[in-house]
Amino acid sequence: ILGVLDLEGLWTRYEDPPPYYDEIKSLTDGNVTKRMQEIYSEPIKAELITARLAEIRAAGVPVAGSLSPQRTQEFSKTVVDAGVDLFVIRGTTVSAEHVSQTEEPLNLKKFIYELDVPVIVGGASTYTSALHLMRTGAAGVLVGFGGGAAHTTRVSLGIHAPMATAVADVAAARRDYLDESGGRYVHVIADGGVGRAGDLVKAVACGADAVMVGAALARAEEAPGQGWHWGSEAHHPELPRGERVSVGTAGSLAEILFGPGRQADGTLNLVGALKRAMATTGYSDLKEFQRVEVVVSPYQ
C-alpha cells in the first residue's frame, strides 16, 4: 500500500490548503466548477513540492509523487532532488512521447533512462499503447483513463475504456514484453473504476498487479475532502472533464483498508475482501489468482 501525492493539487499551491478544501465542500452545485478553476489557478510552487515531500519522508514512509506529462519537464528535477522513492507520470492517456506546440516534447524513454528512481506511467488502455510505454523503461503502467466516480471523460470527450478489457489487454502486453525484454517484468496497475472492494478483486483477477484508488480512500474520516471527491480534470481551466462528487464517509483509513467492515457494500476492508475472494476461489498466491477463469456477465 503506497500513498501518492498529487503534486499539482492544493498542497503544492497553498501554504495552508485546508480552508480551500472546506470551501470546495460547501459550494453549491451551480458554482462548483467555476470556483474550483479559480482556486486551482494559483501557481504550483517548487518550494512547496520540496516541503510536502519532506513531510512525507519525515513520517517514515515511502515517498511518491505524481505529475501530469505537461508538468513533468518543469518540475521533475524538483521532485527528484526532493528524494522521492517513486515517480508517477499520470494523465488521461499517455504516449511514449508527449507532444506540445509550446514546450519541448517529453520523450519518456530518454526521460526515464536519465532518472535514478522508478517511474510509473499511464494511462493506457490498449495492448499497443501499453507495450510502447513498457519499452520506455517504466516500472509500471497505469491502465485506463483515470475514469472513476468523479470523471466525465466519457460524456465530455466520447472516450471510454471498459476496465476489464483494458486490464486484460495490458496484461497481455506485459506477458509479451517479458519475453521480448528477456525477463523484465512491468507492473500493471488498474486506474479507474475501482471504487469498492469487488472492483479491486475483479481488477486483479483480470491481470492487474495493483490498483489506484481515489473514491475508496476519499471515504476515509481523515480525508481532507471530508466525504467529497474530485480529480485534476474537474478544475481544468478550459475543458473540465470531471466533477465534485459526494462519496460520503465510511470509516477510518485503517477500516477502509483492513476492516473490520460494518456494512456489506464493499466500502470497508478492501484487503480483507481480496483475501476472502482468493480463498473462496481456491488461490493463495496473487500471481496465480491473476490467471483465474473470468466470465463476463451482462448483469454486472
Side-chain angles (χ1 to χ4, degrees):
I1 297 172
L2 175 67
V4 180
L5 179 64
D6 177 8
L7 299 175
E8 299 177 37
L10 297 182
W11 292 98
T12 58
R13 297 174 190 264
Y14 296 95
E15 289 280 356
D16 182 33
Y20 294 98
Y21 285 110
D22 293 338
E23 180 183 354
I24 292 172
K25 175 190 173 184
S26 65
L27 291 171
T28 57
D29 288 344
N31 301 322
V32 176
T33 299
K34 182 176 184 297
R35 180 56 184 147
M36 286 179 67
Q37 289 173 321
E38 294 170 352
I39 291 173
Y40 279 89
S41 67
E42 179 72 14
I44 299 167
K45 301 174 179 62
E47 62 271 20
L48 281 180
I49 291 178
T50 301
R52 301 310 184 198
L53 294 176
E55 291 173 25
I56 298 174
R57 175 74 67 189
V61 298
V63 182
S66 170
L67 288 172
S68 65
Q70 295 90 333
R71 297 282 191 175
T72 295
Q73 292 277 45
E74 182 179 359
F75 292 112
S76 61
K77 186 176 187 304
T78 300
V79 174
V80 174
D81 288 348
V84 291
D85 299 302
L86 186 70
F87 186 24
V88 180
I89 302 175
R90 182 174 183 258
T92 300
T93 182
V94 177
S95 60
E97 182 170 328
H98 171 66
V99 178
S100 172
Q101 294 180 335
T102 59
E103 302 173 0
E104 180 184 353
L106 173 62
N107 185 315
L108 279 177
K109 189 169 186 178
K110 179 176 182 293
F111 178 80
I112 292 174
Y113 178 79
E114 294 175 348
L115 286 184
D116 293 328
V117 298
V119 179
I120 292 175
V121 297
S125 61
T126 66
Y127 174 97
T128 301
S129 61
L131 190 60
H132 286 170
L133 292 179
M134 292 173 186
R135 288 169 176 163
T136 66
V141 172
L142 297 168
V143 184
F145 295 114
H151 298 264
T152 60
T153 302
R154 182 175 185 174
V155 296
S156 298
L157 301 183
I159 299 173
H160 175 63
M163 285 302 294
T165 301
V167 171
D169 285 351
V170 176
R174 174 187 61 201
R175 181 188 61 242
D176 291 349
Y177 179 71
L178 187 68
D179 294 335
E180 174 189 307
S181 62
R184 184 174 182 273
Y185 189 90
V186 178
H187 296 272
V188 172
I189 305 168
D191 182 14
V194 188
R196 297 178 186 267
D199 303 320
L200 184 156
V201 171
K202 288 183 281 189
V204 175
C206 288
D209 298 293
V211 296
M212 177 82 79
V213 289
L217 301 186
R219 298 189 184 99
E221 295 167 352
E222 302 93 328
Q226 302 170 48
W228 292 88
H229 177 51
W230 61 91
S232 57
E233 295 88 350
H235 51 77
H236 192 281
E238 297 172 359
L239 182 62
R241 303 182 309 281
E243 57 189 353
R244 181 201 64 172
V245 296
S246 175
V247 295
T249 299
S252 69
L253 181 60
E255 289 172 331
I256 288 172
L257 293 174
F258 304 111
R262 295 185 298 274
Q263 56 264 358
D265 61 359
T267 60
L268 297 176
N269 202 359
L270 302 183
V271 175
L274 178 59
K275 290 180 178 179
R276 181 58 60 91
M278 291 173 61
T280 300
T281 53
Y283 292 89
S284 59
D285 180 84
L286 274 177
K287 298 308 297 180
E288 291 295 326
F289 185 62
Q290 287 177 334
R291 292 191 284 271
V292 68
E293 183 177 355
V294 177
V295 179
V296 178
S297 168
Y299 304 108
Q300 296 293 332

